[in-house]
Amino acid sequence: MVKATLAGLLAHRLRLLLTSLAIALGVGFIAGTFVLTDTIDAGFSRRFAAAADKVDVAVLPAPGTDRQVPPHIPAAALEKVRAARGVADAQGLVRGTSALIGKDGKAAGDYPTSGLSVVEGPLNRTEITSGAAPKTDAQAVLDENTAKTRGFKVGDRITVLDSREARHEFTLVGLFDVGLDQELGYTGAVGYTTAMAQRMTGQRVFTEIDVVAAEGVSQEQARTAVAAALGPGYQVVTGEKFADDLAKRNGADTGILKTGLLLFGLVAMFVAALVIYNTFTILVAQRTREMALLRCIGATRGQVFGSVLLESTVVGLLSSALGLLLGYGLSLGALTALTSLGAPLPTGVAPTLTPRTIGLAVALGVIVTVGAALLPARTATRVAPIAALRSQIEERTFRTGVVRMVLAALFLLAGAGVTAAGVAMDPGETALFVVMAGGTVFFLGVLVFGPVLVRPLGALVGWLPAKLAGVPGRLAMDNSGRNPRRSATTTVALTVGVTLMTLIAVITGTVRTTFTERLDEQFPVDYLIQPQDRDATLPRALGQGLRNSPELASVVAFREKITKVGDRGAEFRVGTFTPAPGFRPELDKGSIALLTPGTAVIGRHVATDLGLKVGDRITVRTARAGTVNLRVAATFNPESGVLPPVTVPEGDFDRYFGAVGDSRMMINARDGVGADVGRRIVEAAAQPYPTAKVASAAEVRGQFEESLDMMVMIITGLLGLAVLISLLGIANTLSLSVHERTRESALLRALGLTRPQLRRMLSVEALILGLIGALVGVALGVGFGWAATRTMVDDVAFQVPVTQILAFVALSGLAGIVAAVLPARRAARASIVGSLATG
């Protein structure tokens, strides 16, 4: 039996290749994910280890409990560390914000540039790539990316703002690589001597202290001495432990990447399993006489069962080997693409293929393949020896069993019930997971009920193609429903991909529409000015200058301070605004005229947290007036409003907190003033203030849509793998079906069907299968897309991207036709006489 099975595989190499390819793609994606993330992890570990090799002991601040004050190490701790026994040198690292001024006179970037210290000596972990490290307080270095984007080079003079926004000039003496620091890669960084870094950032404390041990002193001995010198309240670790912790902390990022990619890989493997199941089902049906003959010459049921499993095992092993090679290539391509996009990844690390990845890929490929072949193998054992005597094997007819209907109904009802429960829950992560679980159960019901749907759906989507294609079209429509179980399994593979792509399209379309509506509510102005550092303020003179411009209709300035509110001392932002014509913020009841001296309007969340209602009294701790007692005049929805959580009249705010600067300004141009003219006026007014950033609603919307489009493109590309595998399944099914219907096709040719008509018949059949899968996928995607969006936020603006969904349907049909090209050509080129002679 083993020889017979292997001989059969070698005799049908093309069939083996098509069957293997589906599994190889899924295994390749999963193996590639592990190779990619393992390579990144290995590179991170090597990079961190190289940097930490310079450090024998690291002192880190204990985790802080005050959210307003980040953890830090006082300056006095550095002297204690230097005085500890066994310490050769110790350096404190300074880090804060230090806004770089671009050549246009404005602060570079949307967020303040980071300022940090570059220490001298063996503890310098900053990798200078060009020039030299700063030696004096008049010198500075800049990260490579910022220097490139802002047009600076070594030898230039750069201007930087200190923590009080005073200007300082430095000579740029070098460029450095931020390495794997995500924050520095995002904000950019300027490096100074330690003393100058403290002056520029305003930080008199350290974020870390690095220590070099004296000769002959081990890391553990130095750690013990430093810990004893400092006392409690610090994290003191060896350099080796410090490197491991850095690598593990970075590994969390690759863990998220790995999980996300593996989800797409598992979807691909599920689709591949359906393809394998369908393939072996057809193969068993085609080899009925062969298996019956084996039974006649003495093969037992167990041997026949084992032969099918052996064949699937060989296919699984070959697929896994091919998948490993494919995954290695995919990881190389992904690393190259990520590096070209500027992702902060380690360089010079060869892709890492670990024994775990090899074992997992082989196990997954074999288990999925053999698992998918179990039911067909069981069917093979039921072949009676007498079947070998029949001249033509009868095709099995499909009957809708009671068990199938009951099982499908249970799955569908359970899935719908769980989904409804998720929709009824408060929006959030839990509700979304419940809806996902309900969708999975419902899909299982569709899977069980699929064969029942094939004929009516085939008649629906095939009506027009059958009319247009004439006799071949009518034959194709009949063939599509001829074996409902096989057709359902073939189309389900495509349904998975179309469902997920439709789901993503519905969710992103809804998010886009909802965001636009919310933006119009929260950004009901032409322009917004706010400081680069969101915790900073802008001079009131800027707002006054804008109000003097005749081209501008209104300028509303907001001021805020974080303070304690209520009897429990909860912290909220208390603020005010400068009234302007046309500015009428919406309250839950009444108008903003209710805001009079001695009152406040509060957000709903503040009212809920503090247990307040309109008419109650609220206490606010102020800087100048002590604790004041205010009456709640009204409440508002914080999601649709622009007011601070606790808003008081402008005069009261100045009396409570003094002359606070503006936190943001909302500006409207007069009617008839062009957008470009208004933008120039606003930017000209903001030019003397480097940190004042001007934005418009169109820019905010554009940035959001660009990010959303990028995310959709990536997800659609990843889901495209599942669609590709499903199309391989259609091609494989048609190829095997052509072989199965050799005599039938020859008889049709003998009765007058031409070669083009035969090709057309098979193409239309594939088109109908593709449209059935797309139709079910669109229905599921839209339905569960609606349910998913209901779990995100309240008052979601549901949107169905009709054009995009119609494109999915059209592409599915077209892809089905493309998948039928080779099988149709093979059928049309077959000899009529030779095919009729096939027994």
Side-chain angles (χ1 to χ4, degrees), residues 770-794:
L771 291 177
I772 290 174
L775 191 64
V776 176
V778 165
L780 292 174
V782 171
F784 287 98
W786 173 84
T789 57
R790 302 293 297 179
T791 67
M792 293 179 178
V793 292
D794 291 319

Side-chain angles (χ1 to χ4, degrees), residues 447-768:
L447 195 63
V448 175
F449 197 60
V452 182
L453 296 173
V454 165
R455 282 185 179 135
L457 288 178
L460 175 65
V461 301
W463 178 80
L464 183 60
K467 286 287 185 184
L468 296 177
V471 173
R474 291 195 293 274
L475 289 171
M477 188 167 67
D478 291 339
N479 285 335
S480 65
R482 186 176 182 178
N483 192 327
R485 186 181 288 108
R486 179 191 304 171
S487 297
T489 310
T490 303
T491 57
V492 161
L494 182 61
T495 297
V496 173
V498 175
T499 297
L500 292 174
M501 287 200 293
T502 303
L503 178 72
I504 296 301
V506 169
I507 290 176
T508 52
T510 300
V511 169
R512 196 187 307 272
T513 303
T514 303
F515 173 80
T516 301
E517 291 184 359
R518 295 287 172 89
L519 182 64
D520 292 339
E521 293 174 353
Q522 298 181 11
F523 205 139
V525 291
D526 295 327
Y527 308 101
L528 174 71
I529 301 180
Q530 56 188 2
Q532 185 188 50
D533 185 347
R534 301 298 183 259
D535 294 328
T537 60
L538 296 170
R540 293 191 182 188
L542 172 58
Q544 189 56 49
L546 289 167
R547 292 186 189 93
N548 294 332
S549 176
E551 291 85 0
L552 303 180
S554 66
V555 178
V556 181
F558 295 86
R559 303 176 196 107
E560 300 173 350
K561 291 291 281 188
I562 296 177
T563 189
K564 293 183 178 180
V565 177
D567 297 334
R568 297 194 301 269
E571 289 190 337
F572 288 100
R573 286 183 293 114
V574 177
T576 189
F577 62 92
T578 302
F583 179 69
R584 300 181 183 87
E586 183 180 346
L587 305 180
D588 289 338
K589 189 175 181 180
S591 70
I592 198 64
L594 294 171
L595 187 63
T596 57
T599 66
V601 295
I602 63 176
R604 293 177 193 168
H605 63 296
V606 179
T608 301
D609 290 348
L610 301 182
L612 299 173
K613 61 182 183 299
V614 174
D616 288 348
R617 310 295 295 188
I618 181 174
T619 58
V620 177
R621 186 176 301 179
T622 70
R624 294 194 172 189
T627 300
V628 296
N629 194 288
L630 308 175
R631 182 177 62 84
V632 177
T635 59
F636 60 88
N637 181 4
E639 292 185 0
S640 60
V642 295
L643 297 175
V646 179
T647 301
V648 298
E650 185 178 24
D652 285 2
F653 183 86
D654 289 345
R655 185 161 50 86
Y656 298 156
F657 299 101
V660 176
D662 296 330
S663 59
R664 68 187 191 279
M665 278 170 272
M666 299 170 65
I667 304 154
N668 270 322
R670 293 190 183 278
D671 292 340
V673 176
D676 55 339
V677 174
R679 180 63 184 255
R680 283 200 299 270
I681 291 170
V682 173
E683 286 188 337
Q687 184 63 33
Y689 308 96
T691 60
K693 292 291 183 177
V694 180
S696 67
E699 287 176 340
V700 174
R701 186 181 292 111
Q703 291 172 359
F704 172 79
E705 291 188 348
E706 183 179 348
S707 302
L708 196 62
D709 290 340
M710 177 66 72
M711 181 187 71
V712 172
M713 183 178 70
I714 293 172
I715 292 176
T716 303
L718 294 173
L719 289 176
L721 178 64
V723 175
L724 174 61
I725 293 174
S726 66
L727 295 180
L728 285 174
I730 293 177
N732 207 15
T733 300
L734 282 174
S735 295
L736 295 169
S737 183
V738 164
H739 175 71
E740 188 177 58
R741 301 195 316 235
T742 300
R743 284 174 58 90
E744 177 186 315
S745 299
L747 184 59
L748 289 172
R749 290 283 315 282
L751 291 174
L753 199 70
T754 64
R755 287 183 175 181
Q757 286 177 319
L758 182 60
R759 287 196 296 266
R760 194 183 314 154
M761 181 188 77
L762 292 172
S763 297
V764 172
E765 184 178 344
L767 169 65
I768 292 172

Side-chain angles (χ1 to χ4, degrees), residues 235-253:
Q235 299 180 68
V236 184
V237 296
T238 63
E240 185 177 350
K241 176 73 165 52
F242 181 54
D244 290 341
D245 289 345
L246 285 176
K248 286 177 182 176
R249 257 183 283 161
N250 184 81
D253 293 335

